[in-house]
């Protein structure tokens, strides 16, 4: 069962354009993480959002956690070729032995110069 | 960058042979995780550890076992490798176990 749906799966845009990636679930998460992964490497943590409605900004990247803590979005302003990569969202659920992450399948972003 | 290393980085093995992957951390983090990443499935949790000798199963644990005899090392063993276990394996660590995890560089495993 895929608990986290990411869309779009693939996105190819021109340098300077804006884009939004969505991460949706029917489950409530205690927190949600966004990662970026480049070929041959492990995912790198971009941000953690914890509070419903929370908005975090990281330079040209804006992350939002839905009010009900079931969904999230990543918006990139004025995309650059260096933004190319696989973007993954992951929802965390608390358990007595620590949080477990459920990952979306990812959005492969290509920014063309 | 979090101090996480994985070994080996690449391995080719034959069906039916045992394989052990090692994850080593220098951050003294309590929580450690093993994931596999496959096209069409994303990252899936195999096993995780919440302390020395404390481990639990993830969503795809069949055919895998783990051990953690000291804080810095978490071993993943494929008792008898199968072709369906061909994948990229990632180790991750977390200090607070709160969902914020840091990943190693991965091990690419090919089972022939």
């Amino acid at each position: 069962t895929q608990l986290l749906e990411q869309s779009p799966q693939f996105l190819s845009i021109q340098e300077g354009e804006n884009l939004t990636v969505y991460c949706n679930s029917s489950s409530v998460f205690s927190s949600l993480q966004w990662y970026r992964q480049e070929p041959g490497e492990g995912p790198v943590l971009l941000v953690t959002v914890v509070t419903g409605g929370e908005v975090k900004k990281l330079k040209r990247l804006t992350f939002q956690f839905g009010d009900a803590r079931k969904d999230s979005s990543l918006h990139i302003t004025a995309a650059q070729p260096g933004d190319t990569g696989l973007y993954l969202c992951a929802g965390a659920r608390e358990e007595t032995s620590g949080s477990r992450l459920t990952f979306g399948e990812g959005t492969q972003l290509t920014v063309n110069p | 960058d979090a101090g996480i290393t994985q070994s080996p980085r690449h391995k080719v093995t034959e069906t039916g042979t045992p394989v052990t992957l090692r994850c080593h951390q220098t951050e003294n983090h309590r929580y450690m995780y093993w994931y596999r990443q496959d096209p069409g499935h994303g990252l899936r949790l195999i096993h995780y550890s919440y302390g020395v000798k404390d481990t639990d199963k993830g969503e795809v644990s069949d055919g895998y076992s783990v051990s953690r005899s000291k804080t810095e090392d978490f071993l993943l063993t494929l008792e008898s490798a199968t072709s369906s276990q061909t994948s990229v394996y990632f180790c991750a660590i977390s200090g607070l176990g709160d969902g914020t995890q840091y990943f190693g560089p991965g091990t690419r495993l090919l089972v022939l």
Side-chain angles (χ1 to χ4, degrees), chain B:
Chain B
D1 291 343
I4 313 168
T5 56
Q6 292 185 231
S7 58
R9 294 293 314 278
H10 302 271
K11 187 169 182 66
V12 180
T13 191
E14 293 186 350
T15 298
T17 60
V19 176
T20 296
L21 309 183
R22 179 181 183 236
C23 177
H24 179 78
Q25 59 142 331
T26 58
E27 305 296 319
N28 199 36
H29 281 351
R30 176 182 175 187
Y31 300 87
M32 299 185 76
Y33 308 82
W34 277 108
Y35 293 88
R36 60 179 289 175
Q37 187 173 34
D38 304 286
H41 293 280
L43 279 153
R44 293 178 291 175
L45 182 65
I46 305 172
H47 281 280
Y48 66 103
S49 170
Y50 48 96
V52 173
K53 297 186 179 178
D54 292 322
T55 65
D56 205 351
K57 295 179 179 180
E59 60 180 299
V60 289
S61 59
D62 287 349
Y64 302 95
S65 62
V66 290
S67 66
R68 191 169 178 202
S69 59
K70 46 187 179 178
T71 300
E72 57 266 37
D73 289 324
F74 192 31
L75 304 180
L76 176 70
T77 297
L78 290 65
E79 302 290 347
S80 178
T82 67
S83 58
S84 64
Q85 293 176 312
T86 291
S87 186
V88 182
Y89 291 85
F90 288 101
C91 173
I93 64 174
S94 176
L96 301 177
D98 62 350
T100 298
Q101 297 181 12
Y102 301 94
F103 284 77
T107 293
R108 189 172 295 272
L109 176 68
L110 175 60
V111 183
L112 299 175

